[in-house]
Amino acid sequence: MLSASSAATVRATLPVVGAAIGEITERFYAGLFEAHPELLRDLFNRGNQAAGTQRQALAGSIAAFATHLVEHPDSRPDAMLSRIAHKHASLGIAPEQYAVVHEHLFAAIVAVLGEAVTPEVAAAWDEVYWLMANALIAIEKRLYEESGGADWRAWEVVERVPETSDVVTFRLRPVDGGPVRDFRAGQYVSVRAELADGARQIRQYSLSGAPGDTLRQISVKRVPGGTTPEGEVSNHLHAHVTEGSVLELSEPYGDLVLTDAPGTPLLLASAGIGVTPITAMLAHLAAAGHRAPVTVVHADRSPAEHALRSEHAAYAEKLPEATVHLWYEQDAPEGARTGLADLTDVPVAPGTHAYLCGPLPFMRAVRAQLIEKGSPRRTCTTRCSARTCGWRRPDDGPQPGGEPHGPVIS
Ligand SMILES: Cc1cc2nc3c(=O)[nH]c(=O)nc-3n(C[C@H](O)[C@H](O)[C@H](O)COP(=O)(O)OP(=O)(O)OC[C@H]3O[C@@H](n4cnc5c(N)ncnc54)[C@H](O)[C@@H]3O)c2cc1C
Ligand code: HEM
């Protein structure tokens, strides 16, 4: 909890800090990467840095944390902390790196706000930073203990399965011959890929196989170029990773997972590459013998572009109370509809738990229709095909420091 004197100072300076977040972020990353170029090369997503996307997430989340501390002094924004800690753990962030971020963040704050940063203001924001950092460090320590540590592990590709013209599934086994740690449906791994210039860039991929599988499975959509450069890691994986290649993977992380609720009706809706975590969820339900109603919704450009199509259908088939609704923009076969997903005449039982994954326009449309039908209690969202992506919970509130990161049903 924030001390009373710091709380008053933070409350008074929040508007100034909030208004300057953009400039603080610019200065922060410039200073950080000048002092530690290896962090841009081998840890942060350099495409996001170049495009300017997601840059405000870090500083913005500290402002959101501060707001929470002054408005709800007796609680912590646990959902936000957990989401960040899972992401950090998947990246292998170490406790000592928090001092490095602190140094460059506070140098940026002083450079931007100048004399407004009195010793009292600096001390109050220091307290906020370390409250948040120590909370994250504690959660990350627990996650590393549970997952066996932050080390990257080498995995050999034993199968490369072309799914569609732009999606490939990789099935991998550990090079060390050790066990494959199980995961919860909805979790992801980080992949650290060494690129042509020697940089080791990290991206997250949902586990698209069945929990309990003795191999790891990810399905990667190639992000094409056009007005912006082509996606670095997805294109590298498509072009250079074949059977026998070795990839570095983190253990599975991610706290937005399918919650076991045996009698609860579920809605699992996906579009495009958003099918990856949803397929793992269907696999889990099929293996668990889930008997309550499951409404399965998927939208894609065409059946040929529907990645994991046969697994998606086979798992749904195993569920006694599943109804499947498919939409394709073209070539819709019998039983599927033509066009974009539209839940108008899809019945959704009261109390349904909904899990959504797909591009932002799909998420917005489905979310709006679910609200019209009477908000389900829980909706998890992500947008997998955009350059920023991450599951969000209904209680996460707005994306810290940026535009909404995905729809949230509250
Ligand atoms: C939890 C989670 C789960 C995910 N699951 C999956 C999954 O199952 N399957 C999957 O395929 N993906 C998944 N993703 C997305 C994946 O992590 C990557 O974001 C995706 O593969 C793109 O990475 P990339 O390196 O190819 O593209 P990047 O190099 O990161 O580029 C991303 C975008 O930024 C643009 N960009 C780059 N540089 C610039 C610039 N200078 N100016 C303007 N724009 C620029 C690119 O054009 C591109 O559109 C997931 C993401 C998360 C967070
Ligand atoms: C209190 C301190 C910190 C806060 C509040 C914070 C906050 C955040 C947030 C909000 C995200 C986005 C999470 C998401 O996508 O869901 C993030 C991602 C990330 N964080 Fe942190 N972070 C902190 C410390 C650190 C440290 C010490 C490092 C390591 C130097 C670090 C490295 C990263 C990286 C690499 C990402 C992914 C972004 C990308 O790849 O572009 N963070 N952090």
Side-chain angles (χ1 to χ4, degrees):
M1 206 170 119
L2 206 52
S3 64
S5 60
S6 289
T9 309
V10 167
R11 191 189 296 276
T13 49
L14 252 171
V16 185
V17 172
I21 282 284
E23 215 184 321
I24 291 170
T25 295
E26 290 291 315
R27 293 261 188 163
F28 160 62
Y29 281 117
L32 181 72
F33 296 144
E34 193 184 322
H36 299 279
E38 75 284 359
L39 292 180
L40 180 57
R41 197 181 59 229
D42 295 338
L43 179 62
F44 283 83
N45 178 330
R46 61 185 180 182
N48 284 351
Q49 290 296 326
T53 45
Q54 278 262 297
R55 294 190 95 204
Q56 288 184 19
L58 195 155
S61 72
I62 297 174
F65 182 76
T67 308
H68 187 101
L69 289 182
V70 296
E71 285 177 3
H72 311 280
D74 299 328
S75 70
R76 276 188 349 174
D78 285 329
M80 176 173 80
L81 291 169
S82 171
R83 180 171 45 88
I84 300 170
H86 275 266
K87 180 79 167 267
H88 280 171
S90 85
L91 293 157
I93 304 298
E96 53 275 18
Q97 290 178 302
Y98 282 85
V100 177
V101 163
H102 174 267
E103 179 192 340
H104 293 283
L105 187 60
F106 278 72
I109 292 174
V110 169
V112 173
L113 299 182
E115 285 172 7
V117 190
T118 60
E120 189 193 13
V121 169
W125 280 93
D126 227 48
E127 203 178 321
V128 170
Y129 179 87
W130 284 112
L131 274 174
M132 187 168 188
N134 287 328
L136 289 171
I137 290 168
I139 306 171
E140 287 155 25
K141 178 170 182 282
R142 182 177 49 75
L143 292 174
Y144 289 140
E145 280 163 7
E146 286 166 5
S147 71
D151 291 342
W152 294 92
R153 196 170 173 199
W155 295 72
E156 183 189 347
V157 176
V158 289
E159 238 182 302
R160 178 189 155 120
V161 185
E163 296 282 346
T164 69
S165 58
D166 58 6
V167 178
V168 165
T169 289
F170 298 99
R171 290 181 53 75
L172 307 111
R173 73 167 163 236
V175 170
D176 61 21
V180 175
R181 198 170 287 273
D182 205 4
F183 70 100
R184 297 187 64 191
Q187 289 196 304
Y188 56 84
V189 291
S190 283
V191 172
R192 184 164 73 170
E194 184 162 343
L195 304 175
D197 66 352
R200 290 187 298 177
Q201 283 281 294
I202 304 172
R203 302 290 184 270
Q204 289 69 44
Y205 293 99
S206 300
L207 291 165
S208 62
D213 191 350
T214 53
L215 296 175
R216 276 273 176 274
Q217 178 176 307
I218 56 171
S219 305
V220 179
K221 180 181 166 151
R222 198 179 73 79
V223 176
T227 51
T228 57
E230 62 177 26
E232 281 207 279
V233 172
S234 61
N235 280 280
H236 169 84
L237 296 175
H238 274 247
H240 302 294
V241 176
T242 55
E243 282 162 23
S245 301
V246 171
L247 282 176
E248 287 186 307
L249 262 60
S250 73
E251 291 299 333
Y253 292 101
D255 63 339
L256 285 152
V257 293
L258 184 66
T259 314
D260 270 322
T264 308
L266 298 172
L267 181 131
L268 304 182
S270 52
I273 196 62
V275 76
T276 50
I278 297 290
T279 304
M281 290 181 182
L282 283 169
H284 170 78
L285 294 172
H290 186 85
R291 304 200 68 78
V294 183
T295 307
V296 182
V297 167
H298 182 79
D300 230 309
R301 281 178 305 220
S302 71
E305 286 167 278
H306 179 170
L308 300 164
R309 187 173 166 217
S310 56
E311 291 92 327
H312 188 252
Y315 292 133
E317 181 83 9
K318 287 193 181 148
L319 297 171
E321 294 295 328
T323 44
V324 180
H325 305 267
L326 298 171
W327 282 264
Y328 296 111
E329 287 172 53
Q330 53 192 45
D331 306 333
E334 208 184 314
R337 285 179 255 187
T338 299
L340 304 176
D342 177 2
L343 302 195
T344 308
D345 53 13
V346 173
V348 179
T352 294
H353 286 198
Y355 295 83
L356 318 183
C357 187
L360 201 51
F362 165 81
M363 309 284 289
R364 287 202 171 115
V366 171
R367 171 184 181 256
Q369 292 194 308
L370 288 175
I371 289 174
E372 262 172 40
K373 289 172 186 285
S375 310
R377 276 172 38 212
R378 182 189 168 104
T379 299
C380 299
T381 66
T382 184
R383 51 178 162 139
C384 301
S385 62
R387 64 174 68 105
T388 56
C389 177
W391 291 93
R392 291 195 36 81
R393 283 186 167 133
D395 51 354
D396 271 359
Q399 169 75 356
E403 60 167 89
H405 194 248
V408 173
I409 294 196
S410 48

